[in-house]
Short mmCIF file of all heavy atoms in Angstrom, two decimals:
data_model
loop_
_atom_site.label_atom_id
_atom_site.label_comp_id
_atom_site.label_asym_id
_atom_site.label_seq_id
_atom_site.Cartn_x
_atom_site.Cartn_y
_atom_site.Cartn_z
N VAL A 1 42.90 107.82 81.35
CA VAL A 1 44.00 106.91 81.67
C VAL A 1 43.86 105.67 80.81
O VAL A 1 42.79 105.05 80.77
CB VAL A 1 44.00 106.51 83.16
CG1 VAL A 1 45.13 105.53 83.46
CG2 VAL A 1 44.11 107.73 84.06
N THR A 2 44.94 105.30 80.14
CA THR A 2 44.96 104.07 79.36
C THR A 2 46.32 103.40 79.53
O THR A 2 47.19 103.91 80.24
CB THR A 2 44.65 104.34 77.88
OG1 THR A 2 44.55 103.09 77.17
CG2 THR A 2 45.74 105.18 77.22
N ILE A 3 46.48 102.26 78.89
CA ILE A 3 47.74 101.53 78.98
C ILE A 3 48.81 102.21 78.12
O ILE A 3 48.50 102.93 77.18
CB ILE A 3 47.57 100.06 78.54
CG1 ILE A 3 47.29 99.97 77.03
CG2 ILE A 3 46.43 99.39 79.32
CD1 ILE A 3 47.32 98.55 76.47
N VAL A 4 50.06 101.99 78.46
CA VAL A 4 51.13 102.33 77.52
C VAL A 4 50.95 101.42 76.31
O VAL A 4 50.87 100.20 76.46
CB VAL A 4 52.52 102.13 78.16
CG1 VAL A 4 53.63 102.38 77.14
CG2 VAL A 4 52.69 103.06 79.36
N PRO A 5 50.82 101.98 75.12
CA PRO A 5 50.48 101.15 73.95
C PRO A 5 51.47 100.00 73.74
O PRO A 5 52.68 100.16 73.91
CB PRO A 5 50.55 102.15 72.79
CG PRO A 5 50.34 103.48 73.42
CD PRO A 5 50.97 103.40 74.76
N SER A 6 50.93 98.86 73.37
CA SER A 6 51.74 97.70 73.04
C SER A 6 51.45 97.28 71.60
O SER A 6 50.44 97.68 71.03
CB SER A 6 51.42 96.54 73.99
OG SER A 6 50.08 96.11 73.85
N THR A 7 52.33 96.49 71.04
CA THR A 7 52.15 96.06 69.66
C THR A 7 50.83 95.31 69.49
O THR A 7 50.07 95.56 68.54
CB THR A 7 53.32 95.17 69.21
OG1 THR A 7 54.53 95.91 69.32
CG2 THR A 7 53.14 94.71 67.78
N SER A 8 50.53 94.42 70.42
CA SER A 8 49.30 93.63 70.34
C SER A 8 48.08 94.38 70.83
O SER A 8 46.95 94.00 70.52
CB SER A 8 49.46 92.35 71.16
OG SER A 8 49.54 92.66 72.55
N GLY A 9 48.31 95.43 71.63
CA GLY A 9 47.20 96.17 72.21
C GLY A 9 46.79 95.68 73.58
O GLY A 9 45.94 96.30 74.23
N THR A 10 47.35 94.57 74.02
CA THR A 10 46.99 94.04 75.33
C THR A 10 47.76 94.77 76.43
O THR A 10 48.84 95.31 76.22
CB THR A 10 47.27 92.53 75.43
OG1 THR A 10 48.65 92.29 75.14
CG2 THR A 10 46.41 91.77 74.43
N ALA A 11 47.20 94.74 77.63
CA ALA A 11 47.76 95.47 78.76
C ALA A 11 48.94 94.71 79.37
O ALA A 11 48.83 93.55 79.75
CB ALA A 11 46.69 95.68 79.83
N ALA A 12 50.07 95.38 79.43
CA ALA A 12 51.26 94.88 80.12
C ALA A 12 52.03 96.12 80.56
O ALA A 12 52.01 97.13 79.87
CB ALA A 12 52.12 94.00 79.23
N ALA A 13 52.69 96.04 81.70
CA ALA A 13 53.25 97.27 82.24
C ALA A 13 54.58 97.07 82.92
O ALA A 13 54.90 95.99 83.41
CB ALA A 13 52.28 97.89 83.25
N MET A 14 55.34 98.16 82.95
CA MET A 14 56.46 98.28 83.87
C MET A 14 55.91 98.85 85.17
O MET A 14 55.20 99.86 85.16
CB MET A 14 57.54 99.21 83.32
CG MET A 14 58.73 99.38 84.25
SD MET A 14 60.00 100.50 83.58
CE MET A 14 59.38 102.09 84.15
N THR A 15 56.19 98.20 86.27
CA THR A 15 55.76 98.71 87.55
C THR A 15 56.94 99.28 88.33
O THR A 15 58.06 98.78 88.25
CB THR A 15 55.09 97.62 88.42
OG1 THR A 15 55.89 96.43 88.39
CG2 THR A 15 53.70 97.30 87.93
N ALA A 16 56.65 100.34 89.05
CA ALA A 16 57.60 100.93 89.98
C ALA A 16 56.96 100.92 91.35
O ALA A 16 55.73 101.00 91.47
CB ALA A 16 57.94 102.36 89.56
N GLY A 17 57.76 100.82 92.38
CA GLY A 17 57.20 100.81 93.73
C GLY A 17 58.27 100.68 94.77
O GLY A 17 59.44 100.44 94.47
N SER A 18 57.87 100.86 96.02
CA SER A 18 58.79 100.82 97.14
C SER A 18 58.25 99.91 98.23
O SER A 18 57.08 99.51 98.21
CB SER A 18 59.00 102.24 97.71
OG SER A 18 59.49 103.11 96.72
N GLY A 19 59.10 99.59 99.20
CA GLY A 19 58.66 98.71 100.27
C GLY A 19 59.56 98.80 101.49
O GLY A 19 60.57 99.52 101.50
N PHE A 20 59.18 98.06 102.51
CA PHE A 20 59.90 98.04 103.78
C PHE A 20 60.70 96.74 103.90
O PHE A 20 60.16 95.65 103.67
CB PHE A 20 58.93 98.13 104.95
CG PHE A 20 58.12 99.40 104.97
CD1 PHE A 20 56.79 99.40 104.56
CD2 PHE A 20 58.68 100.60 105.40
CE1 PHE A 20 56.04 100.57 104.58
CE2 PHE A 20 57.94 101.77 105.43
CZ PHE A 20 56.62 101.75 105.02
N GLY A 21 61.96 96.87 104.27
CA GLY A 21 62.81 95.71 104.51
C GLY A 21 63.43 95.77 105.89
O GLY A 21 63.26 96.74 106.64
N ILE A 22 64.18 94.72 106.23
CA ILE A 22 64.87 94.62 107.52
C ILE A 22 66.36 94.55 107.26
O ILE A 22 66.81 93.78 106.40
CB ILE A 22 64.41 93.38 108.30
CG1 ILE A 22 62.90 93.43 108.56
CG2 ILE A 22 65.16 93.25 109.62
CD1 ILE A 22 62.34 92.18 109.22
N ALA A 23 67.12 95.35 107.97
CA ALA A 23 68.57 95.33 107.82
C ALA A 23 69.12 93.95 108.14
O ALA A 23 68.67 93.29 109.08
CB ALA A 23 69.21 96.37 108.73
N ALA A 24 70.09 93.52 107.36
CA ALA A 24 70.64 92.17 107.53
C ALA A 24 71.23 91.96 108.93
O ALA A 24 71.24 90.84 109.43
CB ALA A 24 71.71 91.92 106.47
N ASN A 25 71.70 93.04 109.57
CA ASN A 25 72.30 92.91 110.89
C ASN A 25 71.36 93.30 112.03
O ASN A 25 71.80 93.53 113.16
CB ASN A 25 73.59 93.74 110.98
CG ASN A 25 73.38 95.19 110.60
OD1 ASN A 25 72.28 95.59 110.22
ND2 ASN A 25 74.44 95.99 110.68
N CYS A 26 70.06 93.37 111.75
CA CYS A 26 69.07 93.67 112.78
C CYS A 26 68.99 92.51 113.77
O CYS A 26 68.85 91.35 113.36
CB CYS A 26 67.71 93.92 112.14
SG CYS A 26 66.34 94.09 113.31
N ASP A 27 69.02 92.82 115.08
CA ASP A 27 68.92 91.75 116.07
C ASP A 27 67.51 91.67 116.69
O ASP A 27 67.31 91.00 117.69
CB ASP A 27 69.98 91.92 117.17
CG ASP A 27 69.85 93.22 117.95
OD1 ASP A 27 68.87 93.96 117.71
OD2 ASP A 27 70.74 93.49 118.79
N ARG A 28 66.56 92.33 116.06
CA ARG A 28 65.16 92.26 116.50
C ARG A 28 64.26 91.95 115.29
O ARG A 28 63.30 92.66 115.01
CB ARG A 28 64.75 93.59 117.15
CG ARG A 28 65.55 93.92 118.38
CD ARG A 28 65.43 95.40 118.76
NE ARG A 28 64.09 95.81 119.10
CZ ARG A 28 63.75 97.08 119.39
NH1 ARG A 28 64.66 98.03 119.36
NH2 ARG A 28 62.50 97.38 119.70
N PRO A 29 64.56 90.90 114.56
CA PRO A 29 63.83 90.66 113.30
C PRO A 29 62.35 90.39 113.48
O PRO A 29 61.55 90.81 112.64
CB PRO A 29 64.56 89.46 112.69
CG PRO A 29 65.22 88.78 113.85
CD PRO A 29 65.60 89.88 114.79
N ASP A 30 61.96 89.70 114.54
CA ASP A 30 60.54 89.41 114.74
C ASP A 30 59.76 90.69 114.99
O ASP A 30 58.67 90.89 114.44
CB ASP A 30 60.35 88.44 115.91
CG ASP A 30 60.86 87.04 115.60
OD1 ASP A 30 60.70 86.60 114.45
OD2 ASP A 30 61.42 86.40 116.51
N GLU A 31 60.31 91.58 115.82
CA GLU A 31 59.66 92.87 116.06
C GLU A 31 59.61 93.69 114.78
O GLU A 31 58.60 94.34 114.48
CB GLU A 31 60.43 93.65 117.13
CG GLU A 31 60.36 93.10 118.53
CD GLU A 31 61.21 93.93 119.47
OE1 GLU A 31 60.89 95.11 119.68
OE2 GLU A 31 62.21 93.40 119.99
N ALA A 32 60.70 93.67 114.05
CA ALA A 32 60.77 94.45 112.81
C ALA A 32 59.75 93.95 111.80
O ALA A 32 59.08 94.75 111.13
CB ALA A 32 62.18 94.39 112.23
N PHE A 33 59.60 92.63 111.68
CA PHE A 33 58.64 92.12 110.69
C PHE A 33 57.21 92.39 111.14
O PHE A 33 56.35 92.67 110.30
CB PHE A 33 58.83 90.62 110.44
CG PHE A 33 58.06 90.14 109.24
CD1 PHE A 33 58.51 90.44 107.96
CD2 PHE A 33 56.87 89.46 109.38
CE1 PHE A 33 57.78 90.04 106.84
CE2 PHE A 33 56.14 89.06 108.28
CZ PHE A 33 56.59 89.36 107.00
N ALA A 34 56.95 92.34 112.44
CA ALA A 34 55.61 92.70 112.93
C ALA A 34 55.29 94.15 112.57
O ALA A 34 54.15 94.48 112.22
CB ALA A 34 55.53 92.49 114.44
N ALA A 35 56.30 95.01 112.64
CA ALA A 35 56.10 96.40 112.24
C ALA A 35 55.78 96.49 110.75
O ALA A 35 54.89 97.26 110.34
CB ALA A 35 57.35 97.22 112.56
N ILE A 36 56.49 95.71 109.93
CA ILE A 36 56.23 95.72 108.48
C ILE A 36 54.81 95.23 108.19
O ILE A 36 54.12 95.78 107.32
CB ILE A 36 57.27 94.87 107.74
CG1 ILE A 36 58.64 95.57 107.79
CG2 ILE A 36 56.85 94.63 106.29
CD1 ILE A 36 59.77 94.76 107.18
N GLU A 37 54.36 94.20 108.91
CA GLU A 37 53.00 93.73 108.72
C GLU A 37 51.99 94.85 108.95
O GLU A 37 51.03 95.01 108.19
CB GLU A 37 52.72 92.57 109.68
CG GLU A 37 53.42 91.27 109.33
CD GLU A 37 52.97 90.13 110.22
OE1 GLU A 37 51.98 89.45 109.87
OE2 GLU A 37 53.59 89.92 111.29
N ALA A 38 52.21 95.62 110.01
CA ALA A 38 51.28 96.72 110.31
C ALA A 38 51.39 97.84 109.28
O ALA A 38 50.39 98.41 108.85
CB ALA A 38 51.56 97.24 111.72
N LEU A 39 52.62 98.15 108.88
CA LEU A 39 52.85 99.25 107.94
C LEU A 39 52.29 98.97 106.55
O LEU A 39 52.01 99.90 105.78
CB LEU A 39 54.34 99.55 107.84
CG LEU A 39 55.00 100.20 109.05
CD1 LEU A 39 56.52 100.10 108.97
CD2 LEU A 39 54.57 101.66 109.18
N THR A 40 52.15 97.69 106.20
CA THR A 40 51.65 97.32 104.87
C THR A 40 50.26 96.70 104.92
O THR A 40 49.82 96.07 103.96
CB THR A 40 52.62 96.32 104.18
OG1 THR A 40 52.74 95.14 104.99
CG2 THR A 40 54.00 96.94 103.98
N SER A 41 49.55 96.92 106.01
CA SER A 41 48.21 96.36 106.15
C SER A 41 47.25 96.99 105.14
O SER A 41 47.51 98.06 104.58
CB SER A 41 47.68 96.60 107.57
OG SER A 41 47.51 97.99 107.80
N VAL A 42 46.12 96.34 104.92
CA VAL A 42 45.12 96.85 103.98
C VAL A 42 44.66 98.24 104.39
O VAL A 42 44.56 99.15 103.56
CB VAL A 42 43.92 95.88 103.89
CG1 VAL A 42 42.80 96.51 103.05
CG2 VAL A 42 44.34 94.55 103.29
#
């Protein structure tokens, strides 16, 4: 495994990834965010 080659040779990357959000019309935001905290814990 190595870096995608760059002109200078230094490491820089495009990152891809996903995450958990809360629907804008959620009426339980505190509960929902507590769930996100647990779901993304170390």
Side-chain angles (χ1 to χ4, degrees):
V1 178
T2 186
I3 68 171
V4 175
S6 63
T7 300
S8 67
T10 57
M14 180 180 87
T15 46
S18 302
F20 299 102
I22 301 175
N25 54 358
C26 172
D27 61 6
R28 298 163 63 184
D30 291 323
E31 291 177 65
F33 192 75
I36 290 175
E37 288 186 89
L39 289 165
T40 60
S41 66
V42 173

